Structures are given as structure tokens and as C-alpha cells.
């Protein structure tokens, strides 16, 4: 395909997806946003003077991170991502960060909690757009594959001013990254694991100076054929999960260094609990379509997107499942200016939501949302950096608070940096919380949080050793916390005021000498999250008590050893790839299951071992990963008082063709 033909196709694909969003917003009444959007577009596409000198464009996948001064951001390196390409984000992040996951079983619904908050207080961003379900306000981390993304980061603490709604506890950042060099890669991966579980992946990358493409197909089946029905008198719940998906990332760089991209992500997941018995069987089907088109022209970025989430839930023979179907149309426009030491970034994002949910009484619910934001970054000196951000959301029948934030970073010495951040956050109640028949309340108030945190970072390198440490303390007070109140038949109310506070410590030690490298990455967090006000006479006993399913202490550690050459002669010497062994550890203290802390799950410790090696011959690479999970056969429970699997094994084979 010729270059101009390829540009024509990509360009018009983008216009098609953008036009969907524009038509939707025009019909639903965002004339000012639409007018600004079209005026910006006219300015962009009118640049036809090839003799005009254009500024060099630096393409960044997640520009907002530059405006998060004072916030803790943990990036995951590519080597670690490659080891975990067959894992879900829930399984992977459990051993990488002090993050609280709450699984309902192996391969079943898994929710996240950051810094003592609940599952709908963490935003999940895919290439800059929030993919949390508008109905539940959260993402199922058992359906998010690690292999689908090039960049992965965890952002801790309130970031509503940058991310928007949901980011009271933090956010998960998932991004795709183009490669602007001539390269062709084909990869096939197969995983075979205990309990008759398996996964298959096929991916291809093709890139040149102006074109970059990544295609990923994945398919996995968890039959969970356990050889036991109970562990230490706790039942082991049988379930099956069938998941598959397709990811396509396309990037094109014009002669004027403008970037056009198209990102597509399709997923289909089917989980069956107790499949052996029709009387106790539960079926959860989830399907998603995510399409994002982005134009980056100099300092102006335009996005148009479409997201569809479908959920079917039923019991028994699954004849009449409860159905949820939500469509979202998104447009976003933002521009950045550079004035000496000051960087200014302003933008707006509009969304139109259409919900068909059986639980809402059969009627279609539509909703328009608009966000306006401004971010400022000022480099006072080589040592002092400050950011000042603000976001205002507009939603019909709501009055979300203005979300400002001030962040500072100060380089005290060459190896010591101090950080601080003060921010206000908010969460717009989910559609389930507002519109669920009889239990929902359309008049709920948005949740309103005020977060303060301080941090210190220390880095030191000497000879073959490098050392980095960080210590963060935070205090996050959240008002109007939405609560499904059991005292009134679980009707939704703004009842709780919750205070989440704690400290986080991370340590990285690395050693590199000739062909040998090793290192330790460890994290610890202390989290105290409790209700602060009583809303009736029955809630007095829970004041100051730890919220359920949130452990006070959480530890993770990864110890690795790697050698570039395994063997002094022969086949391994000539064609061998690095040998790497990684020992993972994850532990947490007791998790309370009763609001008065009278019942709990005991603390747990899980150890995993991963061994990796491979051979390389010309353009062909073959890697083998052998993994032992839960080495010491630890008994730990899910949120349903069912035991999770004991010791289990997996072997992964990955074949790569690079040219």
C-alpha cells in the first residue's frame, strides 16, 4: 500500500469515529463545545503551506503525568511486563505494588482498592480515557490482560484535577506506544497451567519511520479442575472462565510531524460459578468495545471515542439474564503552550451516555457530561518544580465541586527530593446508585474528598550498585461517601464520612557487574481507613474501625538474579539468552469482614517463583518461562469465604520472529 493511500485510509477512519461523537453531541446540546471543537479542527486541517517551518513535535503517551508534581507514580519496567504477559492485571499487580485486590475466586470478578478506598475510587485510564463502567463505577481487573499495553503505571492518591471522576484513591494508567523505526516482529505464546487451564496469544508489530502498528489476539480458558473440593475445611469454589480479545493500535506520522492514531480494543469474557450444578450456577458475561481516534497536531490534541459495555448476569439455565448495555460517545480537545519556564495546558472533554439496564425499570437513561480543565507547570529553577491544576465537571442535576490541586517537588540535594501535594477530589455517583429501581437515588450528592500528602525520595549510585528509596504519607478525608444501607433494605444514601490515612515505603536495590545483574524491589504500606461520623444509633460501634476487606499492612517484594550468558561454551554460549530467576512475595495482615471488626480473614503470605531462559538463532527467539505459584501451599480466602487454589504450576512458551 502506498504511503498516501495509507494516510488517506487512516485519516478517514479517524473522521468517521469523530463524526459519530460530533453528531451525538450536536443532537444532545453541547453547542459551545462543538463549536470550539470544529473551529480547532478547521485550524488544523488548513495547514497546507509546506514551506512553513513547523515546531518539532514530541509525542508523549500520557502527557498529564507531567502535571502531577508531588504525587507518587510507580512505573512498571518492560522486562517485568514481558514476564507477566499471560497474567491479568489483578494477578500481576498483586506482587508489584501495595495494592488491595478483592477477588471473588480464581478468574472471577476482581476489584481494586488504592489507599484505603473502595473499588469505584480508582480510575482506569486506557490511552487517556476512563474505561470504568458508568453503571458500577469500576473495572473488573480479572478481564484486563497485561499483554495488551506497552506502558503501565500506578498513580497513587487523589488526581481528579487531571484524571476526572473516580480518581479519589488513585488511578491505573494503561498506554500504547508507537515505534518509529523499521521493524517487523511476530510473536506466538502458549501457556499451560495446573487445573486444565491454558492461554494463547498471537501478536504482530510492524513499524517504519512514519507508521507503527501493533496487533494482539488473546484467548484463555480457566477450567479450574481442582483435585480437591475443600482446603482446611474451607470449600474451594469451582468456576470456569473463557476470555478472548483483540487489540489494534495504529499510529501514523505525517511529513509535518503530526500524529494520527487509532486504538481498538475488543473483549469478551464468560465466567461460570459452580458450573457442575444448575441449581447453584451463576453466569456473568461481559463484552466491551473500545475505539479511540486521536489527532495530534503540533501542540493541539483532538480525540474522539466510543465505548460500549454489555453485561449479562443470570442463574441456573441462564434463560432470562439481567442485561446491562451502556454506550458512551466521547470527544476531547486540549492545547498546550510553552512560555519559557511555564507550561500551560487547557482542554475540555464531553461525553454522551446511553444506558439500557433492566434494573432501571426498563426505561432508557441518557446523560451528558462536560469537563473543563486547566493545568499549569512552572519550573522555578533546576531544583524547584510546581504544578497548579483545576477541573470543573458539569452533569445534569449535579453540582460536582471544583477540583483544584497544588503540587511541589524540591531537589534538596543531588540524591534527595521532597514532594508534596494538596488536592480536592470528587466522584459522581454511578448510574446504578442513582437509577436502580427502588434502591437508587437520583438526588445523591457527589462524593467530595480532600487529600494531603508528603514524600521524600532518595537515590544513590556507587560503582556497580544503585539504590533508591521513597517514603510517602497521606491523609484523605472523603465526605458524602455513598453507602448501600442495610438498615433500610440496602437503599443508597450519602451517609459516610471516611478518613483514609497511611504511609508507604518502597525500596529498590540493583547490582550490575559485567554479565550478572540482580536486584530487590520491595514495597510496604500501612493503611488506616475508617468511618468518622455516625449516621444512626446502630453505626456508633463502627466509628474509627477499619473498613472491611482493607488490610492495615501490605507487603510486596521481588528478588531477581540474571546472567547474560548461561554456559561457557557450546549451544548456550553461542545462542543462549539471559537466564533470569525471580522470587515474588506478597503478604498482608488480617482483613475484617464485619463493620464492627468482630470477624475477619487471617493474614496471608504468598510466594511465587519464575524461571526464564531461551535460545536465539538469527531472527528467531524462543523463551521458556516456568512458574510456581503459592510455593508453600498457603491457605487464603476470597471475599466469599471460599479458599483460593493451593500450589500450582505454569509453563509458558514464547516464540518471537524479529526482522
Amino acid at each position: 500500500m502506498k504511503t498516501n493511500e495509507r494516510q488517506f485510509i487512516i485519516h478517514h477512519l479517524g473522521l468517521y469515529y469523530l463524526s459519530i461523537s460530533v453528531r451525538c453531541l450536536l443532537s444532545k446540546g453541547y453547542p459551545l463545545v462543538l463549536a470550539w471543537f470544529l473551529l480547532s479542527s478547521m485550524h488544523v486541517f488548513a495547514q497546507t503551506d509546506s514551506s512553513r517551518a513547523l515546531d518539532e513535535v514530541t509525542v508523549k503517551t500520557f502527557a498529564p503525568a507531567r502535571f502531577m508534581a508531588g504525587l507518587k507514580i510507580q512505573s512498571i519496567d518492560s522486562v517485568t511486563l514481558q514476564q507477566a504477559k499471560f497474567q491479568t492485571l489483578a494477578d500481576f499487580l498483586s506482587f508489584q505494588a501495595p495494592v488491595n485486590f478483592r477477588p471473588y475466586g480464581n478468574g472471577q470478578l476482581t476489584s481494586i482498592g488504592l489507599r484505603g478506598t473502595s473499588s469505584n475510587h480508582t480510575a482506569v485510564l486506557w490511552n487517556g480515557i476512563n474505561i470504568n463502567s458508568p453503571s458500577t463505577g469500576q473495572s473488573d481487573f480479572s478481564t484486563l490482560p497485561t499483554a495488551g499495553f506497552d506502558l503501565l503505571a500506578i498513580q497513587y492518591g487523589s488526581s481528579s484535577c487531571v484524571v476526572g471522576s473516580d480518581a479519589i484513591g488513585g488511578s491505573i494508567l494503561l498506554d500504547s506506544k508507537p515505534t518509529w523505526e523499521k521493524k517487523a516482529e511476530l510473536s506466538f505464546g502458549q501457556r499451560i497451567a495446573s487445573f486444565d487451564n491454558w492461554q494463547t496469544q498471537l501478536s504482530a508489530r510492524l513499524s517504519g519511520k512514519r507508521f507503527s502498528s501493533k496487533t494482539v489476539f488473546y484467548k484463555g480458558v480457566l477450567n479450574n479442575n481442582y483435585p480437591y473440593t475443600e482446603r482446611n475445611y474451607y470449600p474451594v469454589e469451582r468456576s470456569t472462565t473463557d476470555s478472548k480479545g483483540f487489540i489494534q493500535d495504529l499510529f501514523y506520522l505525517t511529513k509535518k510531524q503530526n500524529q494520527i492514531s487509532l486504538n481498538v480494543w475488543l473483549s469478551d469474557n464468560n465466567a461460570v460459578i459452580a458450573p457442575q450444578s444448575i441449581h447453584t450456577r451463576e453466569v456473568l458475561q461481559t463484552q466491551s468495545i473500545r475505539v479511540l481516534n486521536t489527532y495530534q497536531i503540533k501542540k493541539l490534541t483532538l480525540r474522539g471515542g466510543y465505548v460500549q459495555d454489555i453485561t449479562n448476569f443470570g442463574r441456573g439455565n441462564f434463560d432470562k439474564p439481567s442485561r446491562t448495555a451502556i454506550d458512551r460517545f466521547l470527544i476531547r480537545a486540549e492545547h498546550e503552550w510553552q512560555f519559557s519556564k511555564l507550561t500551560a495546558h487547557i482542554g475540555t472533554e464531553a461525553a454522551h451516555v446511553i444506558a439500557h439496564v433492566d434494573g432501571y425499570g426498563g426505561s432508557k437513561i441518557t446523560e451528558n457530561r462536560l469537563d473543563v480543565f486547566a493545568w499549569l507547570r512552572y519550573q522555578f529553577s533546576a531544583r524547584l518544580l510546581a504544578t497548579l491544576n483545576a477541573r470543573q465537571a458539569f452533569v445534569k442535576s449535579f453540582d460536582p465541586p471544583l477540583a483544584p490541586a497544588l503540587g511541589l517537588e524540591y531537589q534538596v540535594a543531588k540524591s534527595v527530593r521532597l514532594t508534596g501535594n494538596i488536592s480536592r477530589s470528587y466522584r459522581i455517583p454511578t448510574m446504578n446508585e442513582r437509577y436502580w429501581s427502588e434502591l437508587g437515588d437520583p438526588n445523591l450528592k457527589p462524593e467530595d474528598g480532600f487529600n494531603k500528602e508528603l514524600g521524600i525520595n532518595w537515590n544513590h549510585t556507587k560503582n556497580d550498585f544503585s539504590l533508591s528509596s521513597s517514603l510517602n504519607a497521606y491523609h484523605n478525608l472523603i465526605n458524602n461517601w455513598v453507602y448501600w444501607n442495610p438498615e433500610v433494605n440496602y437503599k443508597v444514601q450519602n451517609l459516610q464520612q471516611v478518613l483514609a490515612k497511611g504511609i508507604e515505603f518502597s525500596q529498590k536495590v540493583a547490582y550490575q557487574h559485567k554479565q550478572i545483574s540482580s536486584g530487590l524491589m520491595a514495597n510496604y504500606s500501612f493503611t488506616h481507613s475508617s468511618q468518622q461520623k455516625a449516621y444512626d444509633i446502630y453505626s456508633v460501634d463502627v466509628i474509627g474501625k477499619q473498613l472491611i476487606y482493607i488490610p492495615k499492612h501490605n507487603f510486596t517484594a521481588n528478588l531477581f538474579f540474571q546472567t547474560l550468558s548461561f554456559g561457557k561454551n557450546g549451544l548456550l554460549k553461542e545462542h543462549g539468552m539471559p537466564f533470569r530467576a525471580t522470587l515474588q512475595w506478597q503478604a498482608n495482615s488480617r482483613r475484617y469482614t464485619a463493620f464492627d471488626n468482630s470477624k475477619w480473614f487471617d493474614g496471608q503470605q504468598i510466594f511465587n517463583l519464575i524461571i526464564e531462559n531461551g535460545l536465539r538463532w538469527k531472527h528467531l527467539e524462543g523463551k521458556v518461562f516456568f512458574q510456581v505459584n503459592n510455593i508453600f501451599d498457603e491457605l487464603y480466602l476470597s471475599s466469599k469465604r471460599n479458599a483460593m487454589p493451593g500450589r500450582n504450576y505454569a509453563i509458558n512458551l514464547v516464540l518471537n520472529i524479529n526482522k
Side-chain angles (χ1 to χ4, degrees), residues 324-452:
T324 296
I326 298 182
D327 297 279
R328 280 184 287 166
F329 299 88
L330 310 165
I331 62 171
R332 179 182 175 116
E334 50 197 312
H335 196 284
E336 187 170 299
W337 293 267
Q338 185 70 46
F339 309 99
S340 183
K341 297 181 179 181
L342 175 67
T343 304
H345 192 109
I346 67 168
T348 184
E349 180 176 332
H352 178 63
V353 184
I354 305 172
H356 298 270
V357 181
D358 293 345
Y360 297 170
S363 60
K364 180 180 72 174
I365 303 294
T366 62
E367 181 173 275
N368 294 321
R369 296 187 180 188
L370 175 66
D371 284 40
V372 180
F373 53 87
W375 310 328
L376 299 176
R377 172 189 169 101
Y378 193 83
Q379 191 78 48
F380 285 92
S381 65
R383 290 191 171 190
L384 180 60
L385 167 68
T387 58
L388 178 62
N389 308 319
R391 176 184 290 259
Q392 180 63 66
F394 301 92
V395 183
K396 183 180 179 180
S397 303
F398 279 89
D399 187 21
L402 176 69
L406 173 63
L408 296 171
E409 295 184 1
Y410 182 68
Q411 198 76 31
V412 179
K414 182 179 179 181
S415 59
V416 180
R417 179 166 54 96
L418 298 178
T419 62
N421 190 279
I422 301 175
S423 61
R424 191 178 186 185
S425 60
Y426 68 92
R427 185 182 75 88
I428 298 171
T430 68
M431 301 189 84
N432 282 0
E433 292 166 342
R434 287 178 283 154
Y435 301 119
W436 200 267
S437 297
E438 299 182 359
L439 301 180
D441 183 1
N443 298 315
L444 286 173
K445 300 176 183 179
E447 296 182 357
D448 187 353
F450 183 54
N451 182 70
K452 304 176 289 295

Side-chain angles (χ1 to χ4, degrees), residues 286-301:
T286 58
Q287 298 175 330
S288 294
I289 299 174
R290 305 176 180 101
V291 180
L292 179 65
N293 186 209
T294 303
Y295 291 77
Q296 184 175 336
I297 303 92
K298 297 187 70 176
K299 298 295 185 178
L300 175 67
T301 303

Side-chain angles (χ1 to χ4, degrees), residues 4-229:
N4 57 349
E5 293 176 342
R6 190 164 56 218
Q7 181 179 1
F8 176 86
I9 292 173
I10 297 173
H11 175 80
H12 282 79
L13 274 173
L15 286 179
Y16 169 73
Y17 289 112
L18 284 173
S19 66
I20 294 175
S21 302
V22 170
R23 288 198 303 269
C24 178
L25 289 167
L26 181 61
S27 65
K28 296 299 177 180
Y30 277 125
L32 293 177
V33 178
L34 181 60
W36 182 57
F37 180 83
L38 292 177
L39 287 172
S40 301
S41 301
M42 290 172 62
H43 170 73
V44 168
F45 298 118
Q47 293 179 355
T48 58
D49 183 5
S50 60
S51 64
R52 182 182 178 185
L54 297 177
D55 296 334
E56 182 180 355
V57 175
T58 300
V59 179
K60 295 182 181 296
T61 55
F62 191 70
R66 296 180 294 121
F67 296 89
M68 293 181 174
L71 291 177
K72 177 183 175 182
I73 300 178
Q74 178 185 353
S75 299
I76 309 298
D77 64 83
S78 59
V79 174
T80 306
L81 282 175
Q82 282 298 312
Q83 280 190 325
K85 65 182 302 178
F86 289 98
Q87 292 183 311
T88 66
L89 281 186
D91 295 333
F92 174 61
L93 292 179
S94 294
F95 289 88
Q96 301 297 322
V99 178
N100 179 40
F101 282 101
R102 182 182 171 189
Y104 280 77
N106 190 35
Q108 298 180 33
L109 173 67
T110 303
S111 59
I112 189 175
L114 275 175
R115 287 189 168 180
T117 59
S118 70
S119 55
N120 48 26
H121 291 136
T122 299
V124 180
L125 270 64
W126 171 66
N127 289 304
I129 64 171
N130 191 339
I131 61 172
N132 280 353
S133 168
S135 60
T136 63
Q138 59 181 285
S139 293
D140 179 2
F141 279 74
S142 71
T143 67
L144 305 181
T146 305
F149 319 105
D150 301 311
L151 300 174
L152 169 60
I154 308 167
Q155 177 268 309
Y156 297 82
S158 169
S159 57
S160 291
C161 60
V162 176
V163 174
S165 180
D166 303 346
I168 289 181
S171 57
I172 305 297
L173 312 177
L174 311 172
D175 287 280
S176 304
K177 182 182 179 181
T179 300
W180 305 117
E181 59 183 69
K182 191 173 182 180
K183 182 184 296 186
E185 298 179 358
L186 181 65
S187 178
F188 171 78
Q190 182 67 48
R191 176 185 178 95
I192 301 174
S194 300
F195 316 129
D196 196 20
N197 298 337
W198 60 269
Q199 293 181 56
T200 301
Q201 292 178 6
L202 178 64
S203 64
R205 289 180 180 267
L206 181 64
S207 61
K209 292 182 178 180
R210 294 185 183 175
F211 180 75
S212 180
S213 170
K214 181 188 72 175
T215 306
V216 179
F217 296 90
Y218 60 92
K219 164 78 172 179
V221 175
L222 303 181
N223 290 300
N224 290 329
N225 287 322
Y226 304 125
Y228 38 71
T229 58

Side-chain angles (χ1 to χ4, degrees), residues 267-309:
S267 64
D268 188 345
N269 301 274
N270 186 9
V272 182
I273 303 172
Q276 70 279 7
S277 172
I278 194 172
H279 303 290
T280 58
R281 180 185 304 158
E282 295 182 358
V283 181
L284 177 65
Q285 295 178 341
T286 58
Q287 298 175 330
S288 294
I289 299 174
R290 305 176 180 101
V291 180
L292 179 65
N293 186 209
T294 303
Y295 291 77
Q296 184 175 336
I297 303 92
K298 297 187 70 176
K299 298 295 185 178
L300 175 67
T301 303
L302 307 174
R303 298 177 187 268
Y306 171 70
V307 179
Q308 182 185 68
D309 296 302

